[in-house]
């Protein structure tokens, strides 16, 4: 499983590099990784359904007890198959959707593929902390994908809104994870659900975790970010907001339900919020004229339906939730892709302008009708299986009973109504308003056709899908365990309710003109979208204010703020420790060299010429090198001399382009500078003495001395650098490369700019002035 994740990430980097060369064909290359993962996952179905989860783990930081645990069980397999299969088809679809676009296709393909990897890790993670890391990677990827190339203000606003809502709720979820793990004594999800904490801190942790999960899957009152994110390209909407990202919240609720469903706030919170979201989303969908926004509010409603099912805490409801997870991923991603085809071929996705497309695109109508049939729960689609199981669950044993069942019937009727609105508005009618329609290329409709047929094929095999999801459902309470997926369970109340939803939904669609005035009247004075917009503006305004105040243009002001932080943070930790007793010197020569170094440091303060001050500072560094020689470390002395020489060269290259004098109004702040300088020096001295007195000899030191000859030679320092701390050395080499790059930029700037700066540049350093560079 680790290799599956690594392949997604590795190919994500590769397609970014290949984007300019391959153009939109790079999406075909990107589709290979999720397709390969889907094939491997399909080979594990037989193993998993027989109750043998595939597990894998590896140590990250053993000394800290940090390990990465991956586990593929029935529920993880359901999500992983949806993530990889629909991910591959979405990338295939993007090949034609972005046809003709050259800029940014590699970036889009790479971020989509990285999103696949993150969602796959969400499904496979058996550790709360690993799951949280993957969770936040999906948030960052969604921000980049919604913003697209960042040129449209509307896309940027939608991306920021989604980022703020999901990350702020994600922090609450992280706190809930930490409380759960601490109370249960483990962060392993498979162990936690077997001994989940209840009451007190456990209940608080449950609420915090649900806040993060419900925000991710766009539940009330967090829901507005999802419809606003429809400004993203259609492949992004189809994958993130139908098959992947929003499913993460539902998956987390389903994953923890076997252990936490009995907690006091769990069932009331998930069922009530989910039911309210289902009804509100369906009602708002009826008022939309943009096909994507209609599907977006429909997605909000369907996600509320899923939260009700997976949060109810009964076996039949969990069975229905797992089936609907598959059904929704298939039919909603298919419908989003259909809208993308319509938008490309007709130049509009406004249902008031698209009448008559049934004659021009009969194949597209069939595809959309199959997906819509699954959405409303018509046999023999997979949506029908999930809907029947859901009604059965609340008819018999699920939490809430009759009133929840009534809410589900109303929500399902609204689903039928907005589905009819979608099909009629896009394809029916006698108008010829879509005269500009041009037939899409055959490859454009392959992905939505496969998804529609998959929904039909899965529905025709209730026993197969039942085998896949039943091992998960069996983990929840249901003494009889009698319900199984089938097309016909006899003429029961469930059949009556199912038919009633269809009849009521058609009636709502036919009477939508009478209902349209109510949409505006029922909107409350405080709307969630306004609250989110206000919060987003507040965060951005606050960040702008802090940046302008905290990052002043004057270099001395920036240094003062930085050095103040350098002083404040160590004081917080050193204040309780006290002052260590120093050992002044081991020989008189050390005292002489130290005195000269102190005199040089004072000379740097006194000297007014910048280049001379840099030279004196370099002398202080060379004296430190002499001090190393006296202490018996010539290799360190050599490094010190080389670093000081390099630093002096950098100072010369930088200072020659700065004002020659420091005169000006800022010189009046010299007392503050003196205070900051003395404070920094005192705190750094205090820190050094304290650390050296408490850690005079580390525990690994004897082992270094004993094992150094066996690892390359008698020079212990060289062995430590090349063998024991090779990774640190690699990092230091990287820093040196970056420093060399910066120096080369300064040196080559003379050639790029056509010569050295004119003398007037030093006399007019005002930003925006005639000689400002």
């Amino acid at each position: 499983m680790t290799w599956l994740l690594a392949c997604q990430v590795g190919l994500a980097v590769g397609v970014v590099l290949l984007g300019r060369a391959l153009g939109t064909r790079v999406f075909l290359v990107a589709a290979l990784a999720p397709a390969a993962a889907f094939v491997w996952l399909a080979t594990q179905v037989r193993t998993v359904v027989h109750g043998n989860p595939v597990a894998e783990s590896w140590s990250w930081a053993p000394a800290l007890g940090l390990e990465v645990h991956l586990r593929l069980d029935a529920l993880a397999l359901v999500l992983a198959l949806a993530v990889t299969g629909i991910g591959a088809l979405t990338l295939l679809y993007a090949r034609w959707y972005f046809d003709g676009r050259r800029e940014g296709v590699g970036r889009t393909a790479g971020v989509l593929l990285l999103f696949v990897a993150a969602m796959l890790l969400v499904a496979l993670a058996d550790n709360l902390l690993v799951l949280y890391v993957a969770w936040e990677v999906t948030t960052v990827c969604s921000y980049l994908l919604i913003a697209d190339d960042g040129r449209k203000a509307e896309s940027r606003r939608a991306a920021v809104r989604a980022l703020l809502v999901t990350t702020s709720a994600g922090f609450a979820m992280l706190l809930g994870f930490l409380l759960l793990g601490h109370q249960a004594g483990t962060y392993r999800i498979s162990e936690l659900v077997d001994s989940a904490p209840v009451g007190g801190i456990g209940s608080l942790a449950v609420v915090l975790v649900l806040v993060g999960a419900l925000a991710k899957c766009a539940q009330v009152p967090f829901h507005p970010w999802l419809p606003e994110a429809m400004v993203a390209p259609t492949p992004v909407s189809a994958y993130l907001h139908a098959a992947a990202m929003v499913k993460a919240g539902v998956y987390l609720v389903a994953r923890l339900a076997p252990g936490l469903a009995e907690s006091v706030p769990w069932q009331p919170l998930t069922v009530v919020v989910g039911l309210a979201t289902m009804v509100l989303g369906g009602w708002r969908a009826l008022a939309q004229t943009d096909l994507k926004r209609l599907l977006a509010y429909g997605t909000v409603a369907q996600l509320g339906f899923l939260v009700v099912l997976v949060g109810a805490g009964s076996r039949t409801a969990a069975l229905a939730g797992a089936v609907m997870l598959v059904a929704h991923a298939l039919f909603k991603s298919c419908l989003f892709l259909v809208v993308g085809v319509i938008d490309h071929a007709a130049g509009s996705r406004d249902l008031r302008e698209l009448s008559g497309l049934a004659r021009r695109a009969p194949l597209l109508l069939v595809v959309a009708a199959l997906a819509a049939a699954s959405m409303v729960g018509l046999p023999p689609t997979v949506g029908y299986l999930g809907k029947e199981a859901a009604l059965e669950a609340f008819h018999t044993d699920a939490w809430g009973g009759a009133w929840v069942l009534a809410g589900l019937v109303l929500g399902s009727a609204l689903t039928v109504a907005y589905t009819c609105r979608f099909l009629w508005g896009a394809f029916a009618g006698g108008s010829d308003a879509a005269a500009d329609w041009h037939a899409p290329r055959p490859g454009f409709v392959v992905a939505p056709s496969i998804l529609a047929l998959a929904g039909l094929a899965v529905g025709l095999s209730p026993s197969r899908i039942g085998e896949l999801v039943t091992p998960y459902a069996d983990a929840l309470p249901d003494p009889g365990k009698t319900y199984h997926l089938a097309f016909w369970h006899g003429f029961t109340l469930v059949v009556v309710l199912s038919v009633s939803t269809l009849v009521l939904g058609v009636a709502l669609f036919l009477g939508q003109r009478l209902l349209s005035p109510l949409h505006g009247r029922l909107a409350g004075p405080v709307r969630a979208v306004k609250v989110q917009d206000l919060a987003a503006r507040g965060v951005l305004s606050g960040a702008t204010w802090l940046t302008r105040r905290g990052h002043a243009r004057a270099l001395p002001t920036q240094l003062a703020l930085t050095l103040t932080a350098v002083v404040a943070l160590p004081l917080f930790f050193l204040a309780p420790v006290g002052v260590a007793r120093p050992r002044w010197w081991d020989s008189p020569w050390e005292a002489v060299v130290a005195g000269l170094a102190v005199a040089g440091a004072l000379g740097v303060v006194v000297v007014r010429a910048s280049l001379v001050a840099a030279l004196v500072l370099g002398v202080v560094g060379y004296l430190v090198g002499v001090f190393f020689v006296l202490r018996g470390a010539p290799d360190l002395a050599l490094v010190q001399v080389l670093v000081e020489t390099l630093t002096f060269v950098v100072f010369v290259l930088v200072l020659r382009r700065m004002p020659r004098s420091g005169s000006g109004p800022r010189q009046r702040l010299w007392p503050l500078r003196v205070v900051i300088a003395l404070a920094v020096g005192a705190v750094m001295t205090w820190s050094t003495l304290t650390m050296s007195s408490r850690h005079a000899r580390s525990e690994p030191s004897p082992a270094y001395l004993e094992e150094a000859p066996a690892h390359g030679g008698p020079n212990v320092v060289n062995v430590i650098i090349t063998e024991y701390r090779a990774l640190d050395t690699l990092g230091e080499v990287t820093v040196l490369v970056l420093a060399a790059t910066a120096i080369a930029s300064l040196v080559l700037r003379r050639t790029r700019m056509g010569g050295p700066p004119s003398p007037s540049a030093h006399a007019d350093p005002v930003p925006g002035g005639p000689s400002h560079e």
Side-chain angles (χ1 to χ4, degrees), residues 307-355:
V307 169
V308 171
L309 296 178
V310 298
S314 72
R315 176 185 177 273
T316 307
L319 191 68
V323 174
M324 285 303 301
L325 187 83
V326 176
H328 180 264
L330 293 174
F331 67 66
K332 192 53 68 72
S333 57
C334 173
L335 291 175
F336 270 117
L337 298 184
V338 166
V339 171
V341 176
I342 293 174
D343 195 10
H344 263 242
S348 174
R349 57 175 190 250
D350 191 323
L351 56 81
R352 295 167 297 185
E353 303 173 358
L354 295 174
S355 299

Side-chain angles (χ1 to χ4, degrees), residues 352-426:
R352 295 167 297 185
E353 303 173 358
L354 295 174
S355 299
L357 292 187
R359 299 190 310 274
R360 297 178 177 272
L363 175 60
L364 202 61
L365 172 61
V366 172
V367 171
L370 280 176
S374 184
M375 186 158 65
V376 301
L378 290 178
T381 63
V382 64
Y384 168 79
L385 298 177
K387 178 183 173 182
E388 297 295 299
L391 295 175
E392 177 67 27
F394 288 92
H395 168 53
T396 55
D397 59 353
W399 184 90
W403 70 271
V404 178
L405 186 62
L408 292 181
V409 170
L410 176 58
S412 299
L414 289 170
T415 301
V416 174
Y418 67 70
T419 302
C420 293
R421 179 176 174 81
F422 174 86
L423 290 176
W424 184 270

